[in-house]
Short mmCIF file of all heavy atoms in Angstrom, two decimals:
data_model
loop_
_atom_site.label_atom_id
_atom_site.label_comp_id
_atom_site.label_asym_id
_atom_site.label_seq_id
_atom_site.Cartn_x
_atom_site.Cartn_y
_atom_site.Cartn_z
N SER A 7 -6.65 14.55 5.93
CA SER A 7 -5.38 14.80 6.59
C SER A 7 -5.00 13.59 7.46
O SER A 7 -3.88 13.21 7.53
CB SER A 7 -5.53 16.02 7.49
OG SER A 7 -5.76 17.19 6.73
N VAL A 8 -5.98 13.02 8.11
CA VAL A 8 -5.71 11.88 8.95
C VAL A 8 -5.28 10.65 8.11
O VAL A 8 -4.31 10.02 8.51
CB VAL A 8 -6.96 11.47 9.87
CG1 VAL A 8 -6.78 10.13 10.53
CG2 VAL A 8 -7.24 12.57 10.90
N VAL A 9 -5.88 10.47 7.06
CA VAL A 9 -5.52 9.34 6.13
C VAL A 9 -4.10 9.56 5.61
O VAL A 9 -3.28 8.69 5.54
CB VAL A 9 -6.53 9.24 4.92
CG1 VAL A 9 -5.99 8.29 3.89
CG2 VAL A 9 -7.87 8.76 5.41
N VAL A 10 -3.74 10.80 5.19
CA VAL A 10 -2.41 11.09 4.73
C VAL A 10 -1.37 10.89 5.84
O VAL A 10 -0.29 10.34 5.58
CB VAL A 10 -2.33 12.54 4.16
CG1 VAL A 10 -0.91 13.00 3.92
CG2 VAL A 10 -3.14 12.66 2.89
N LEU A 11 -1.69 11.30 7.04
CA LEU A 11 -0.74 11.07 8.14
C LEU A 11 -0.54 9.57 8.41
O LEU A 11 0.58 9.13 8.71
CB LEU A 11 -1.24 11.76 9.38
CG LEU A 11 -1.06 13.31 9.43
CD1 LEU A 11 -1.74 13.92 10.62
CD2 LEU A 11 0.39 13.69 9.27
N LEU A 12 -1.57 8.80 8.33
CA LEU A 12 -1.50 7.36 8.52
C LEU A 12 -0.62 6.71 7.43
O LEU A 12 0.18 5.85 7.68
CB LEU A 12 -2.88 6.66 8.56
CG LEU A 12 -3.69 6.94 9.82
CD1 LEU A 12 -5.08 6.39 9.65
CD2 LEU A 12 -3.00 6.32 11.09
N VAL A 13 -0.76 7.14 6.21
CA VAL A 13 0.00 6.62 5.09
C VAL A 13 1.45 7.00 5.31
O VAL A 13 2.39 6.15 5.13
CB VAL A 13 -0.54 7.13 3.75
CG1 VAL A 13 0.46 6.86 2.65
CG2 VAL A 13 -1.87 6.58 3.48
N ILE A 14 1.72 8.22 5.69
CA ILE A 14 3.11 8.64 5.90
C ILE A 14 3.74 7.83 7.05
O ILE A 14 4.88 7.38 6.98
CB ILE A 14 3.22 10.13 6.19
CG1 ILE A 14 2.84 10.91 4.87
CG2 ILE A 14 4.57 10.56 6.71
CD1 ILE A 14 2.71 12.43 5.10
N GLY A 15 2.96 7.64 8.12
CA GLY A 15 3.44 6.83 9.24
C GLY A 15 3.69 5.43 8.86
O GLY A 15 4.69 4.77 9.32
N GLY A 16 2.89 4.83 8.04
CA GLY A 16 3.10 3.46 7.49
C GLY A 16 4.34 3.36 6.69
O GLY A 16 5.15 2.44 6.82
N CYS A 17 4.62 4.40 5.83
CA CYS A 17 5.80 4.37 5.04
C CYS A 17 7.07 4.55 5.92
O CYS A 17 8.11 3.87 5.63
CB CYS A 17 5.78 5.52 4.08
SG CYS A 17 4.48 5.28 2.76
N VAL A 18 7.01 5.35 6.95
CA VAL A 18 8.13 5.44 7.88
C VAL A 18 8.38 4.11 8.55
O VAL A 18 9.57 3.68 8.68
CB VAL A 18 7.86 6.60 8.91
CG1 VAL A 18 8.92 6.50 10.02
CG2 VAL A 18 7.87 7.91 8.26
N CYS A 19 7.33 3.41 8.94
CA CYS A 19 7.53 2.08 9.58
C CYS A 19 8.14 1.07 8.63
O CYS A 19 8.92 0.22 9.01
CB CYS A 19 6.17 1.59 10.16
SG CYS A 19 5.68 2.45 11.67
N VAL A 20 7.71 1.12 7.36
CA VAL A 20 8.34 0.22 6.35
C VAL A 20 9.79 0.50 6.21
O VAL A 20 10.58 -0.44 6.15
CB VAL A 20 7.57 0.35 4.97
CG1 VAL A 20 8.32 -0.33 3.88
CG2 VAL A 20 6.13 -0.17 5.09
N PHE A 21 10.15 1.74 6.13
CA PHE A 21 11.57 2.06 6.01
C PHE A 21 12.33 1.65 7.25
O PHE A 21 13.45 1.06 7.19
CB PHE A 21 11.73 3.64 5.81
CG PHE A 21 13.15 4.02 5.73
CD1 PHE A 21 13.88 3.86 4.60
CD2 PHE A 21 13.74 4.71 6.82
CE1 PHE A 21 15.19 4.30 4.56
CE2 PHE A 21 15.05 5.12 6.75
CZ PHE A 21 15.74 4.91 5.57
N TRP A 22 11.74 1.90 8.43
CA TRP A 22 12.35 1.56 9.69
C TRP A 22 12.59 -0.01 9.80
O TRP A 22 13.60 -0.50 10.20
CB TRP A 22 11.51 2.01 10.81
CG TRP A 22 12.16 2.09 12.19
CD1 TRP A 22 13.44 1.86 12.52
CD2 TRP A 22 11.50 2.38 13.39
NE1 TRP A 22 13.62 1.95 13.86
CE2 TRP A 22 12.44 2.32 14.47
CE3 TRP A 22 10.17 2.69 13.77
CZ2 TRP A 22 12.10 2.55 15.78
CZ3 TRP A 22 9.84 2.92 14.99
CH2 TRP A 22 10.78 2.84 16.04
N ALA A 23 11.49 -0.75 9.40
CA ALA A 23 11.58 -2.22 9.45
C ALA A 23 12.60 -2.69 8.51
O ALA A 23 13.31 -3.73 8.74
CB ALA A 23 10.27 -2.81 9.20
N ALA A 24 12.71 -2.08 7.35
CA ALA A 24 13.73 -2.50 6.32
C ALA A 24 15.16 -2.34 6.79
O ALA A 24 16.01 -3.10 6.39
CB ALA A 24 13.52 -1.78 5.03
N ARG A 25 15.37 -1.36 7.66
CA ARG A 25 16.77 -1.18 8.22
C ARG A 25 17.08 -2.34 9.16
O ARG A 25 18.24 -2.57 9.40
CB ARG A 25 16.80 0.14 8.94
CG ARG A 25 16.83 1.30 8.00
CD ARG A 25 16.97 2.58 8.71
NE ARG A 25 18.08 2.55 9.69
CZ ARG A 25 18.20 3.34 10.76
NH1 ARG A 25 17.28 4.23 10.99
NH2 ARG A 25 19.20 3.24 11.54
N GLY A 26 16.08 -2.95 9.78
CA GLY A 26 16.36 -4.09 10.60
C GLY A 26 16.34 -3.83 12.09
O GLY A 26 16.52 -4.77 12.89
N ASP A 27 16.22 -2.59 12.54
CA ASP A 27 16.24 -2.30 13.90
C ASP A 27 14.93 -1.76 14.50
O ASP A 27 14.95 -1.10 15.51
CB ASP A 27 17.41 -1.30 14.27
CG ASP A 27 17.26 0.04 13.55
OD1 ASP A 27 16.37 0.05 12.69
OD2 ASP A 27 17.93 1.00 13.91
N ALA A 28 13.85 -2.10 13.88
CA ALA A 28 12.52 -1.64 14.29
C ALA A 28 11.97 -2.55 15.42
O ALA A 28 12.21 -3.76 15.40
CB ALA A 28 11.56 -1.62 13.11
N PRO A 29 11.22 -1.95 16.33
CA PRO A 29 10.56 -2.74 17.35
C PRO A 29 9.38 -3.58 16.71
O PRO A 29 9.04 -3.36 15.54
CB PRO A 29 10.00 -1.75 18.33
CG PRO A 29 9.95 -0.49 17.58
CD PRO A 29 10.99 -0.48 16.56
N ARG A 30 8.89 -4.51 17.47
CA ARG A 30 7.89 -5.39 16.97
C ARG A 30 6.66 -4.69 16.45
O ARG A 30 6.09 -5.04 15.40
CB ARG A 30 7.44 -6.41 18.07
CG ARG A 30 6.44 -7.43 17.58
CD ARG A 30 6.21 -8.42 18.62
NE ARG A 30 7.40 -9.27 18.75
CZ ARG A 30 7.59 -10.18 19.67
NH1 ARG A 30 6.69 -10.38 20.61
NH2 ARG A 30 8.74 -10.85 19.69
N TRP A 31 6.16 -3.61 17.16
CA TRP A 31 4.99 -2.91 16.73
C TRP A 31 5.23 -2.26 15.41
O TRP A 31 4.31 -2.17 14.52
CB TRP A 31 4.47 -1.89 17.78
CG TRP A 31 5.42 -0.79 18.01
CD1 TRP A 31 6.42 -0.73 18.99
CD2 TRP A 31 5.52 0.48 17.28
NE1 TRP A 31 7.14 0.51 18.83
CE2 TRP A 31 6.58 1.24 17.85
CE3 TRP A 31 4.78 0.96 16.24
CZ2 TRP A 31 6.86 2.45 17.38
CZ3 TRP A 31 5.14 2.27 15.73
CH2 TRP A 31 6.15 2.99 16.31
N ALA A 32 6.39 -1.72 15.15
CA ALA A 32 6.69 -1.05 13.88
C ALA A 32 6.73 -2.12 12.76
O ALA A 32 6.32 -1.76 11.60
CB ALA A 32 7.99 -0.30 13.95
N ARG A 33 7.26 -3.28 13.01
CA ARG A 33 7.26 -4.33 12.00
C ARG A 33 5.82 -4.75 11.63
O ARG A 33 5.52 -5.04 10.49
CB ARG A 33 8.11 -5.48 12.45
CG ARG A 33 9.58 -5.24 12.49
CD ARG A 33 10.38 -6.44 12.72
NE ARG A 33 10.03 -7.22 13.88
CZ ARG A 33 10.67 -7.18 15.02
NH1 ARG A 33 11.76 -6.46 15.16
NH2 ARG A 33 10.29 -7.89 16.08
N GLY A 34 4.99 -4.76 12.64
CA GLY A 34 3.56 -5.06 12.39
C GLY A 34 2.86 -4.02 11.56
O GLY A 34 2.10 -4.35 10.64
N VAL A 35 3.17 -2.72 11.86
CA VAL A 35 2.58 -1.62 11.01
C VAL A 35 3.11 -1.68 9.64
O VAL A 35 2.36 -1.46 8.67
CB VAL A 35 2.89 -0.26 11.71
CG1 VAL A 35 2.48 0.90 10.80
CG2 VAL A 35 2.15 -0.14 13.07
N ALA A 36 4.39 -1.99 9.53
CA ALA A 36 5.03 -2.14 8.11
C ALA A 36 4.33 -3.28 7.39
O ALA A 36 4.05 -3.15 6.20
CB ALA A 36 6.51 -2.36 8.22
N ARG A 37 4.10 -4.39 8.05
CA ARG A 37 3.48 -5.53 7.37
C ARG A 37 2.10 -5.14 6.94
O ARG A 37 1.66 -5.51 5.83
CB ARG A 37 3.48 -6.73 8.30
CG ARG A 37 3.03 -8.01 7.62
CD ARG A 37 3.23 -9.22 8.52
NE ARG A 37 4.65 -9.46 8.66
CZ ARG A 37 5.28 -9.74 9.83
NH1 ARG A 37 4.52 -9.82 10.97
NH2 ARG A 37 6.52 -9.92 9.88
N ALA A 38 1.37 -4.51 7.78
CA ALA A 38 0.00 -4.08 7.46
C ALA A 38 -0.03 -3.08 6.27
O ALA A 38 -0.85 -3.12 5.40
CB ALA A 38 -0.74 -3.45 8.61
N THR A 39 0.98 -2.17 6.25
CA THR A 39 1.06 -1.16 5.17
C THR A 39 1.33 -1.85 3.87
O THR A 39 0.77 -1.58 2.85
CB THR A 39 2.21 -0.20 5.50
OG1 THR A 39 1.84 0.44 6.74
CG2 THR A 39 2.31 0.90 4.38
N LEU A 40 2.30 -2.82 3.86
CA LEU A 40 2.63 -3.55 2.62
C LEU A 40 1.44 -4.39 2.10
O LEU A 40 1.17 -4.49 0.94
CB LEU A 40 3.87 -4.40 2.84
CG LEU A 40 5.16 -3.65 3.11
CD1 LEU A 40 6.26 -4.62 3.46
CD2 LEU A 40 5.50 -2.83 1.83
N LEU A 41 0.68 -4.93 3.08
CA LEU A 41 -0.45 -5.77 2.69
C LEU A 41 -1.53 -4.82 2.07
O LEU A 41 -2.11 -5.18 1.07
CB LEU A 41 -1.09 -6.46 3.91
CG LEU A 41 -2.31 -7.26 3.70
CD1 LEU A 41 -2.11 -8.43 2.70
CD2 LEU A 41 -2.86 -7.81 5.00
N GLY A 42 -1.74 -3.66 2.64
CA GLY A 42 -2.68 -2.72 2.08
C GLY A 42 -2.30 -2.23 0.73
O GLY A 42 -3.17 -2.06 -0.15
N SER A 43 -1.07 -2.03 0.47
CA SER A 43 -0.54 -1.60 -0.86
C SER A 43 -0.80 -2.75 -1.87
O SER A 43 -1.14 -2.49 -3.05
CB SER A 43 0.89 -1.14 -0.81
OG SER A 43 1.77 -2.23 -0.60
N GLU A 44 -0.56 -4.01 -1.46
CA GLU A 44 -0.76 -5.13 -2.36
C GLU A 44 -2.32 -5.27 -2.70
O GLU A 44 -2.63 -5.51 -3.86
CB GLU A 44 -0.28 -6.41 -1.75
CG GLU A 44 1.23 -6.56 -1.81
CD GLU A 44 1.79 -6.61 -3.16
OE1 GLU A 44 1.20 -7.23 -4.05
OE2 GLU A 44 2.85 -5.99 -3.38
N LEU A 45 -3.15 -5.07 -1.71
CA LEU A 45 -4.56 -5.16 -1.96
C LEU A 45 -5.04 -4.02 -2.90
O LEU A 45 -5.84 -4.25 -3.81
CB LEU A 45 -5.34 -5.04 -0.62
CG LEU A 45 -5.26 -6.25 0.26
CD1 LEU A 45 -5.94 -5.99 1.64
CD2 LEU A 45 -5.85 -7.44 -0.37
N ALA A 46 -4.51 -2.81 -2.70
CA ALA A 46 -4.84 -1.66 -3.56
C ALA A 46 -4.35 -1.93 -5.00
O ALA A 46 -5.03 -1.64 -5.98
CB ALA A 46 -4.25 -0.42 -3.03
N ARG A 47 -3.12 -2.52 -5.15
CA ARG A 47 -2.55 -2.83 -6.45
C ARG A 47 -3.42 -3.83 -7.18
O ARG A 47 -3.74 -3.74 -8.37
CB ARG A 47 -1.14 -3.29 -6.28
CG ARG A 47 -0.47 -3.45 -7.62
CD ARG A 47 1.01 -3.90 -7.50
NE ARG A 47 1.69 -2.92 -6.65
CZ ARG A 47 2.79 -3.15 -5.97
NH1 ARG A 47 3.24 -4.39 -5.94
NH2 ARG A 47 3.42 -2.22 -5.29
N SER A 48 -3.86 -4.91 -6.47
CA SER A 48 -4.59 -5.94 -7.10
C SER A 48 -5.98 -5.46 -7.49
O SER A 48 -6.56 -5.82 -8.47
CB SER A 48 -4.68 -7.21 -6.25
OG SER A 48 -5.44 -6.95 -5.08
N ALA A 49 -6.60 -4.61 -6.65
CA ALA A 49 -7.84 -3.99 -7.00
C ALA A 49 -7.77 -3.12 -8.17
O ALA A 49 -8.67 -3.09 -9.02
CB ALA A 49 -8.43 -3.18 -5.78
N SER A 50 -6.65 -2.39 -8.31
CA SER A 50 -6.47 -1.53 -9.51
C SER A 50 -6.32 -2.37 -10.77
O SER A 50 -6.85 -2.03 -11.80
CB SER A 50 -5.25 -0.66 -9.30
OG SER A 50 -4.91 0.07 -10.45
N ARG A 51 -5.59 -3.50 -10.63
CA ARG A 51 -5.43 -4.35 -11.85
C ARG A 51 -6.76 -4.96 -12.26
O ARG A 51 -7.08 -4.98 -13.43
CB ARG A 51 -4.45 -5.48 -11.54
CG ARG A 51 -3.03 -5.13 -11.56
CD ARG A 51 -2.16 -6.34 -11.38
NE ARG A 51 -0.87 -5.95 -10.84
CZ ARG A 51 -0.21 -6.63 -9.93
NH1 ARG A 51 -0.68 -7.71 -9.41
NH2 ARG A 51 0.94 -6.22 -9.47
N ASN A 52 -7.55 -5.42 -11.26
CA ASN A 52 -8.87 -5.99 -11.59
C ASN A 52 -9.80 -4.94 -12.20
O ASN A 52 -10.54 -5.27 -13.08
CB ASN A 52 -9.49 -6.60 -10.32
CG ASN A 52 -8.81 -7.83 -9.85
OD1 ASN A 52 -8.09 -8.47 -10.57
ND2 ASN A 52 -9.02 -8.17 -8.58
N SER A 53 -9.71 -3.74 -11.71
CA SER A 53 -10.60 -2.64 -12.26
C SER A 53 -10.17 -2.34 -13.74
O SER A 53 -11.04 -2.24 -14.54
CB SER A 53 -10.38 -1.42 -11.40
OG SER A 53 -11.15 -0.36 -12.01
N ARG A 54 -8.90 -2.31 -13.98
CA ARG A 54 -8.44 -2.03 -15.37
C ARG A 54 -8.83 -3.18 -16.36
O ARG A 54 -9.18 -2.92 -17.45
CB ARG A 54 -6.93 -1.82 -15.43
CG ARG A 54 -6.56 -0.42 -14.93
CD ARG A 54 -5.14 -0.10 -15.15
NE ARG A 54 -4.43 -0.61 -13.98
CZ ARG A 54 -3.26 -1.05 -13.96
NH1 ARG A 54 -2.52 -1.13 -15.07
NH2 ARG A 54 -2.68 -1.47 -12.87
N SER A 55 -8.75 -4.42 -15.87
CA SER A 55 -9.07 -5.55 -16.72
C SER A 55 -10.59 -5.57 -17.02
O SER A 55 -10.91 -5.99 -18.09
CB SER A 55 -8.60 -6.85 -16.15
OG SER A 55 -9.34 -7.20 -14.97
N ARG A 56 -11.40 -5.19 -16.10
CA ARG A 56 -12.85 -5.08 -16.38
C ARG A 56 -13.16 -3.94 -17.38
O ARG A 56 -14.05 -4.11 -18.19
CB ARG A 56 -13.59 -4.88 -15.05
CG ARG A 56 -13.71 -6.09 -14.21
CD ARG A 56 -14.68 -5.91 -13.06
NE ARG A 56 -14.34 -6.80 -11.98
CZ ARG A 56 -14.02 -6.45 -10.78
NH1 ARG A 56 -14.00 -5.20 -10.40
NH2 ARG A 56 -13.66 -7.39 -9.90
N GLN A 57 -12.49 -2.87 -17.26
CA GLN A 57 -12.73 -1.77 -18.15
C GLN A 57 -12.33 -2.06 -19.54
O GLN A 57 -12.95 -1.57 -20.54
CB GLN A 57 -12.01 -0.47 -17.70
CG GLN A 57 -12.59 0.14 -16.45
CD GLN A 57 -11.77 1.31 -15.97
OE1 GLN A 57 -10.64 1.53 -16.47
NE2 GLN A 57 -12.31 2.06 -15.03
N SER A 58 -11.28 -2.84 -19.75
CA SER A 58 -10.84 -3.16 -21.11
C SER A 58 -11.56 -4.35 -21.69
O SER A 58 -11.23 -4.78 -22.78
CB SER A 58 -9.34 -3.44 -21.04
OG SER A 58 -9.09 -4.63 -20.38
N GLY A 59 -12.56 -4.87 -21.07
CA GLY A 59 -13.33 -5.95 -21.58
C GLY A 59 -12.81 -7.36 -21.20
O GLY A 59 -13.26 -8.38 -21.71
N GLY A 60 -11.80 -7.37 -20.42
CA GLY A 60 -11.27 -8.66 -19.96
C GLY A 60 -10.13 -9.23 -20.74
O GLY A 60 -9.44 -10.14 -20.28
N ASP A 61 -9.90 -8.73 -22.00
CA ASP A 61 -8.80 -9.22 -22.77
C ASP A 61 -7.51 -8.54 -22.31
O ASP A 61 -7.52 -7.43 -21.78
CB ASP A 61 -8.97 -9.12 -24.27
CG ASP A 61 -8.95 -7.66 -24.70
OD1 ASP A 61 -9.08 -6.76 -23.84
OD2 ASP A 61 -8.99 -7.46 -25.93
N ASP A 62 -6.40 -9.19 -22.48
CA ASP A 62 -5.11 -8.67 -22.03
C ASP A 62 -4.27 -8.19 -23.19
O ASP A 62 -3.07 -8.42 -23.26
CB ASP A 62 -4.38 -9.80 -21.23
CG ASP A 62 -3.31 -9.23 -20.32
OD1 ASP A 62 -3.33 -8.01 -20.08
OD2 ASP A 62 -2.39 -9.96 -19.93
N SER A 63 -4.88 -7.54 -24.12
CA SER A 63 -4.18 -7.05 -25.34
C SER A 63 -3.25 -5.89 -25.06
O SER A 63 -2.35 -5.58 -25.80
CB SER A 63 -5.17 -6.67 -26.46
OG SER A 63 -6.02 -5.57 -25.99
N SER A 64 -3.46 -5.20 -23.90
CA SER A 64 -2.67 -4.02 -23.56
C SER A 64 -1.25 -4.40 -23.07
O SER A 64 -0.40 -3.61 -22.97
CB SER A 64 -3.34 -3.17 -22.53
OG SER A 64 -3.50 -3.86 -21.32
N SER A 65 -1.04 -5.68 -22.75
CA SER A 65 0.27 -6.07 -22.18
C SER A 65 1.32 -6.24 -23.23
O SER A 65 2.50 -6.36 -23.00
CB SER A 65 0.10 -7.35 -21.40
OG SER A 65 -0.20 -8.44 -22.31
N GLY A 66 0.96 -6.28 -24.50
CA GLY A 66 1.91 -6.32 -25.58
C GLY A 66 2.36 -7.74 -25.93
O GLY A 66 3.35 -7.93 -26.57
N GLY A 67 1.62 -8.76 -25.48
CA GLY A 67 1.98 -10.08 -25.78
C GLY A 67 2.15 -11.00 -24.57
O GLY A 67 1.66 -10.66 -23.50
#
Side-chain angles (χ1 to χ4, degrees):
S7 298
V8 169
V9 169
V10 168
L11 286 174
L12 287 172
V13 168
I14 290 171
C17 292
V18 168
C19 286
V20 168
F21 178 74
W22 195 9
R25 288 183 49 202
D27 60 345
R30 182 174 290 172
W31 66 266
R33 290 191 303 259
V35 171
R37 188 171 291 136
T39 301
L40 292 174
L41 178 63
S43 71
E44 286 296 323
L45 290 174
R47 186 179 302 156
S48 68
S50 174
R51 283 187 204 139
N52 289 340
S53 174
R54 281 188 273 150
S55 68
R56 284 190 203 120
Q57 288 176 348
S58 67
D61 67 348
D62 198 18
S63 61
S64 64
S65 67

